Amino acid sequence: MVVALRRKIVLVAADVICVNTAVLLAFVAVYGVSIPQEFLNVIPQLCIVFTIINIIVYYAFQLYKSLWDYASIDELIMVISSSFVASLAVYISCSILRIPIPLEVYLLYCFFSMTFVTGIRLSFRILRRLRIVCLGNDVKEYKKVMIIGAGEAGAMVIKELKNHPEMGLKPVAAIDDDEAKQGSKILGVPVYGGREYIKEIAERKAIDEIIVAMPSAPRSEIRAILNECKKTKCKLKTLPGIYELINGRMTVKHIRDVRIEDLLGREPVKINLEEVSQYLEDKVVLVTGGGGSIGSELCRQVARFRPRKLLILDIYENNAYMLHQELLRHYPELDQEVLIASIQDRPRMEAIFAKYRPDVVFHAAAHKHVPLMESNPTEAIKNNVFGTLNVAECADKYGTKRFVLISTDKAVNPTNIMGATKRVAEMIIQAMDAHSRTEFVAVRFGNVLGSDGSVIPLFKKQIEEGGPVTVTHPEINRYFMTIPEAVQLVIQAGAMAKGGEIFVLDMGEPVKIVDLARDLIRLSGFEPDVDIKIEFTGLRPGEKLYEELLMVEEGLTATKHEKIFVGKPVFSDLDTLRKELDNLKRILVGSDEGLVEYMERLVPTYKPMRKQIGNAVG
């Protein structure tokens, strides 16, 4: 604060000197040293009037708030505009006060004051650059940086890096596909060629880091460029999309590491805001598993649509508490409540539904870790099957309008107990829908990047520790989405629900896990199998080489949203299902083998992996 105040005082004092000097020079330029006596008598008054008016105008234009060490074209335009307005105000004031001054004096004064005030401010930047060049800084060794994109964003990146030498990043090369820019320089940095030269220039110039500065480019183009960058051994950084740079201004804090989701090249999801608002706005919305990866993102996005009340239900209080605090900061007007409860506790579910009567339920609570659930099938069934049944029956009983189950691609032809339990959960909501006023639907999708327990956090941890990165099988692949992308589509699917559907999200092309591992190693600045080893550990219990998103008998129908498809209801016999579930509940205290065998009967498409392996060996 003291430094800023001192700087403002210095600037005001400098402006006072500039204005008075400009007045005197204007008269001298017109009359020489023989200024008429009539003007000599009024010059002191003019200096006072001119000074007061100029300082007021400059203050109104906020010339004393800018950091002139980093002055740019915007600041220059602001100085010129304020000087012109000040001169016009002076002219009008002198006319009102009947102080006769020749027009040429006004024009010269305007020129001189504008020049002096601009020069004073630009001198801050010139002195700072000279100080950097002459005195240097604490950085002993610079990293050489290549900028991809020689447009406005690239220029901003170069300027920011030059203005912040303490970062230790020196822009030495730029790449752009525009032939008109190739061979020229941008802020002193040469533009060498198009993307096909990325690897060559990186090697020739010994580049350490590459910054992709193309915030307005389509995701598919960014992905193609990043694939070229991956051929180098450089650390990769990027700018966020233009829609994230709300005010269009970029600073060094916006430059971030390239993330694995950038390599997916998927375009932002488009949702029908009007359609979504109709079923969420001014409604009581319950999110089970609200503290988890999917549940918490559901809460964040639901909060945007102004629900009457948001209920965050989770058994784990720490995550729920952190989400609660986050929503308080970002949505202070939101009426939200955290409910610590287990979906397996039927009396507690009854009490919650009776008290709050939620209009919409997003059921995200589930045990989802495949290997852990293979070892603990009882818990998988209690939570994923009977927990879902509890919440669904309460929704039916207490008049919930819409119930959205978060399902998984592992429910299709499951080979593990987790997938089998999620398929039973789908059967429950399809059967309930046929006998209820509540619209029950499921949304099925694959893996989400960065979710709790997913491979990305595991790989990052292994890379930090120097490897090896462990992959179960060289051919294993999975469908991937980002968490926000998946949740936006879940919310949109909920808006399209008529009841009984299983919505299937377009996950794009499946990705080999080993390719994901190699990309993540490269993004961390290492060479796969050279700096960081990749080890194959073998498939885990219940793990498939590939996942499916649809059972054959479900069929597939397009919806009005290009990324959402719908499978027709294939199960509606609620009475039979209840009997089967009653039998399942009775044998929960029995052996795990008995549970698995009964799940095979309940889910005909369930083929436990260990039996498939046993049959193959036999």
Side-chain angles (χ1 to χ4, degrees):
M1 289 292 290
V2 175
V3 175
L5 180 60
R6 188 185 302 135
R7 177 173 294 213
K8 287 182 180 179
I9 292 173
V10 169
L11 277 173
V12 171
D15 286 343
V16 170
I17 294 172
C18 288
V19 168
N20 285 273
T21 303
V23 172
L24 294 173
L25 282 178
F27 277 101
V28 170
V30 174
Y31 298 105
V33 294
S34 304
I35 301 174
Q37 189 62 42
E38 59 182 300
F39 294 130
L40 285 175
N41 293 335
V42 296
I43 282 178
Q45 302 172 34
L46 288 175
C47 287
I48 294 173
V49 172
F50 282 33
T51 298
I52 293 173
I53 291 175
N54 275 269
I55 297 303
I56 291 174
V57 172
Y58 293 164
Y59 187 85
F61 274 78
Q62 300 186 339
L63 294 196
Y64 301 117
K65 288 188 176 181
S66 294
L67 291 174
W68 295 100
D69 303 54
Y70 309 104
S72 65
I73 296 297
D74 291 337
E75 281 76 17
L76 179 62
I77 292 173
M78 187 167 62
V79 171
I80 294 173
S81 301
S82 61
S83 297
F84 178 78
V85 170
S87 298
L88 184 62
V90 164
Y91 177 79
I92 294 172
S93 300
C94 288
S95 298
I96 294 173
L97 295 173
R98 299 183 182 279
I99 301 176
I101 299 177
L103 180 61
E104 55 264 41
V105 171
Y106 281 118
L107 295 176
L108 286 169
Y109 163 75
C110 179
F111 170 75
F112 286 135
S113 65
M114 190 181 301
T115 302
F116 294 156
V117 171
T118 302
I120 285 292
R121 279 151 178 80
L122 290 182
S123 66
F124 280 92
R125 180 169 177 176
I126 295 170
L127 289 172
R128 183 177 186 276
R129 182 58 57 84
L130 288 174
R131 187 168 62 249
I132 291 170
V133 173
C134 299
L135 302 179
N137 53 72
D138 296 333
V139 178
K140 303 299 181 184
E141 186 176 343
Y142 285 96
K143 290 182 178 179
K144 294 182 179 179
V145 178
M146 175 192 291
I147 310 298
I148 309 296
E152 186 175 345
M156 285 194 293
V157 169
I158 293 170
K159 186 181 80 170
E160 285 290 301
L161 294 183
K162 288 187 173 183
N163 283 336
H164 294 274
E166 69 277 4
M167 293 180 65
L169 300 176
K170 183 178 181 180
V172 298
I175 293 291
D176 200 291
D177 289 337
D178 186 351
E179 293 182 0
K181 296 176 182 176
Q182 295 168 10
S184 61
K185 289 188 176 182
I186 175 171
L187 298 179
V189 177
V191 182
Y192 285 98
R195 70 184 71 176
E196 66 274 14
Y197 291 98
I198 289 175
K199 183 179 180 182
E200 177 187 333
I201 300 302
E203 292 174 352
R204 191 201 313 171
K205 292 291 183 180
I207 301 295
D208 299 297
E209 294 193 6
I210 296 176
I211 299 176
V212 180
M214 302 174 64
S216 59
R219 296 277 181 89
S220 55
E221 185 175 352
I222 295 295
R223 179 184 182 182
I225 289 172
L226 290 175
N227 284 332
E228 287 296 318
C229 294
K230 285 191 315 186
K231 297 175 183 177
T232 72
K233 296 181 180 180
C234 302
K235 178 91 173 181
L236 302 184
K237 295 181 181 291
T238 188
L239 294 179
I242 196 68
Y243 57 92
E244 297 175 67
L245 295 174
I246 298 173
N247 58 6
R249 298 180 68 88
M250 196 280 301
T251 64
V252 289
K253 69 180 181 180
H254 288 118
I255 301 172
R256 61 165 174 80
D257 290 344
V258 169
R259 296 192 288 254
I260 200 73
E261 48 263 44
D262 295 318
L263 297 176
L264 288 179
R266 300 170 69 90
E267 298 301 325
V269 171
K270 299 175 183 177
I271 64 174
N272 186 326
L273 295 177
E274 182 180 354
E275 195 174 39
V276 170
S277 295
Q278 286 178 357
Y279 89 103
L280 292 179
E281 189 173 353
D282 199 33
K283 301 295 193 300
V284 177
V285 180
L286 168 65
V287 180
T288 70
S293 304
I294 299 296
S296 60
E297 184 64 21
L298 273 166
C299 291
R300 292 183 191 99
Q301 296 199 28
V302 167
R304 297 166 46 207
F305 295 99
R306 299 183 297 277
R308 184 162 74 251
K309 191 177 190 68
L310 176 61
L311 303 171
I312 305 167
L313 188 148
D314 206 293
I315 195 170
Y316 183 49
E317 70 274 18
N318 288 354
N319 284 348
Y321 173 76
M322 296 303 292
L323 175 64
H324 174 65
Q325 294 300 312
E326 177 189 332
L327 293 177
L328 281 177
R329 292 193 301 273
H330 295 292
Y331 302 96
E333 75 290 347
L334 175 66
D335 182 4
Q336 57 164 318
E337 190 165 341
V338 175
L339 305 170
I340 303 303
S342 169
I343 59 173
Q344 298 177 39
D345 186 344
R346 180 58 178 260
R348 174 74 167 134
M349 291 298 103
E350 289 272 358
I352 288 171
F353 274 82
K355 179 179 180 180
Y356 297 102
R357 307 277 174 153
D359 300 293
V360 180
V361 173
F362 290 100
H363 181 47
H367 286 327
K368 65 177 185 177
H369 296 280
V370 171
L372 289 181
M373 293 306 101
E374 286 298 285
S375 304
N376 300 274
T378 301
E379 294 307 310
I381 292 169
K382 284 162 61 176
N383 202 58
N384 296 358
V385 174
F386 292 106
T388 298
L389 182 64
N390 287 339
V391 181
E393 288 183 338
C394 287
D396 172 54
K397 181 176 179 179
Y398 292 98
T400 295
K401 294 180 177 62
R402 197 160 298 179
F403 183 105
V404 181
L405 168 71
I406 308 301
S407 191
T408 170
D409 54 4
K410 294 175 178 62
V412 182
N413 301 322
T415 59
N416 52 69
I417 195 69
M418 193 283 284
T421 58
K422 293 298 284 186
R423 176 56 194 146
V424 175
E426 291 180 351
M427 292 163 63
I428 289 171
I429 67 102
Q430 286 190 313
M432 290 285 295
D433 182 77
H435 301 82
S436 173
R437 292 185 178 180
T438 301
E439 294 171 344
F440 288 92
V441 298
V443 180
R444 189 188 286 163
F445 53 89
N447 300 273
V448 285
L449 289 167
S451 64
D452 296 335
S454 69
V455 295
I456 301 302
L458 174 63
F459 287 169
K460 286 182 177 178
K461 183 69 174 174
Q462 291 174 333
I463 292 169
E464 287 173 6
E465 295 173 351
V469 172
T470 56
V471 179
T472 58
H473 193 283
E475 296 301 321
I476 192 168
N477 64 36
R478 291 291 181 266
Y479 292 97
F480 282 100
M481 266 188 173
T482 65
I483 294 175
E485 181 182 20
V487 167
Q488 286 171 0
L489 290 174
V490 166
I491 292 175
Q492 180 66 68
M496 297 188 297
K498 296 291 186 289
E501 304 101 329
I502 293 183
F503 290 101
V504 179
L505 305 188
D506 175 11
M507 300 290 293
E509 295 298 319
V511 178
K512 277 191 175 183
I513 301 300
V514 68
D515 290 341
L516 207 61
R518 290 193 180 106
D519 285 344
L520 204 56
I521 291 170
R522 289 192 183 97
L523 292 181
S524 302
F526 301 107
E527 184 69 18
D529 294 318
V530 177
D531 304 311
I532 303 288
K533 297 291 184 183
I534 295 177
E535 288 186 0
F536 297 103
T537 58
L539 291 175
R540 299 174 297 179
E543 190 172 42
K544 290 181 179 181
L545 277 178
Y546 59 93
E547 300 292 358
E548 305 155 274
L549 289 171
L550 196 72
M551 297 193 305
V552 175
E553 65 269 25
E554 290 173 324
L556 191 65
T557 305
T559 68
K560 57 188 175 184
H561 195 287
E562 59 183 4
K563 292 189 178 182
I564 301 176
F565 298 86
V566 62
K568 62 183 180 182
V570 297
F571 190 93
S572 60
D573 192 342
L574 183 59
D575 292 336
T576 300
L577 181 59
R578 286 189 190 279
K579 291 175 183 176
E580 295 285 7
L581 293 180
D582 287 341
N583 292 334
L584 179 61
K585 185 177 291 186
R586 280 193 289 270
I587 65 172
L588 274 178
V589 294
S591 69
D592 288 351
E593 191 63 33
L595 280 175
V596 171
E597 288 180 358
Y598 199 87
M599 289 295 290
E600 288 183 76
R601 170 182 165 181
L602 193 54
V603 183
T605 57
Y606 173 35
K607 298 292 184 287
M609 182 64 74
R610 60 176 176 271
K611 285 195 174 184
Q612 295 182 39
I613 294 172
N615 292 337
V617 172

